Amino acid sequence: MGGIGSRQPKIAVFVDWCNLGDVRAVLDYGRFRQYLDTLGRVRKAYIYVAGHTIPMPPALKQLSSFGSMLQKHGFIVREKGIEHKERGPVDGDMDVELTIDVVDTLSGHGQTLDKIVLFSGDGHFCSLVTRIKNQRAKRPIKVLIVGRLGHTSSKIRWLADAYIPIEKIVEQISQPEPAVSQVLTGGAA
């Protein structure tokens, strides 16, 4: 990624797993983690998994722990169970945990990060994106939003420096190895 004298941006990645929708079932997590390395030098890669009532791909059912598999691929896994409420929907949302980790990461690595990559199109994160952008007075940090087509808040897309549909990434990492790095450059496989 880059020629002589160029440097890879330092990034932190935050994946709201529940927000990935149907993509979760077809995602090759090893290749997905490799893809993240094409975006820059990954300082931290968090993935937030709420509950285990969500359908898992058949290949993952044989694993003793989905979280352990993600850890083997270099993710910092944040898990919590599903909260069943007497009234209203089941709650397995991890927006608060993700937000706290972003703020803590900015506090600890903010002087060395170039980019935050947020895998969520959830409009609840607009305030978080604004907070990250307000850090720019100290040091510019770009925000890349990765979300599902048709399910990503238009406001968060507008606030971000860049947006990539998760479907495009899945398509790229489903191709033979050389195609993985092509998603950002737009080159042919």
Side-chain angles (χ1 to χ4, degrees), residues 129-164:
V129 171
T130 300
R131 167 83 183 248
I132 295 165
K133 291 178 102 172
N134 287 339
Q135 293 281 113
R136 290 182 178 184
K138 298 174 185 171
R139 184 176 196 286
I141 299 175
K142 294 189 181 282
V143 178
L144 168 62
I145 295 295
V146 181
R148 293 184 293 153
L149 285 171
H151 296 276
T152 300
S153 157
S154 58
K155 184 174 181 184
I156 203 166
R157 286 179 66 173
W158 179 81
L159 286 169
D161 294 294
Y163 164 74
I164 299 175

Side-chain angles (χ1 to χ4, degrees), residues 95-150:
D95 293 356
V96 171
E97 291 84 350
L98 188 152
T99 299
I100 289 169
D101 283 339
V102 170
V103 171
D104 286 350
T105 298
L106 288 172
S107 297
H109 293 283
Q111 296 303 312
T112 60
L113 281 178
D114 299 305
K115 186 186 301 180
I116 297 284
V117 182
L118 177 58
F119 280 78
S120 179
D122 192 337
H124 295 123
F125 290 117
C126 288
S127 295
L128 179 61
V129 171
T130 300
R131 167 83 183 248
I132 295 165
K133 291 178 102 172
N134 287 339
Q135 293 281 113
R136 290 182 178 184
K138 298 174 185 171
R139 184 176 196 286
I141 299 175
K142 294 189 181 282
V143 178
L144 168 62
I145 295 295
V146 181
R148 293 184 293 153
L149 285 171

Side-chain angles (χ1 to χ4, degrees), residues 17 38 62 133 183:
W17 187 76
T38 70
Q62 63 191 336
K133 291 178 102 172
V183 75

Side-chain angles (χ1 to χ4, degrees), residues 82-94:
I82 299 271
E83 180 183 333
H84 297 279
K85 299 178 180 179
E86 269 185 54
R87 302 175 120 184
V90 171
D91 183 17
D93 163 330
M94 295 192 68

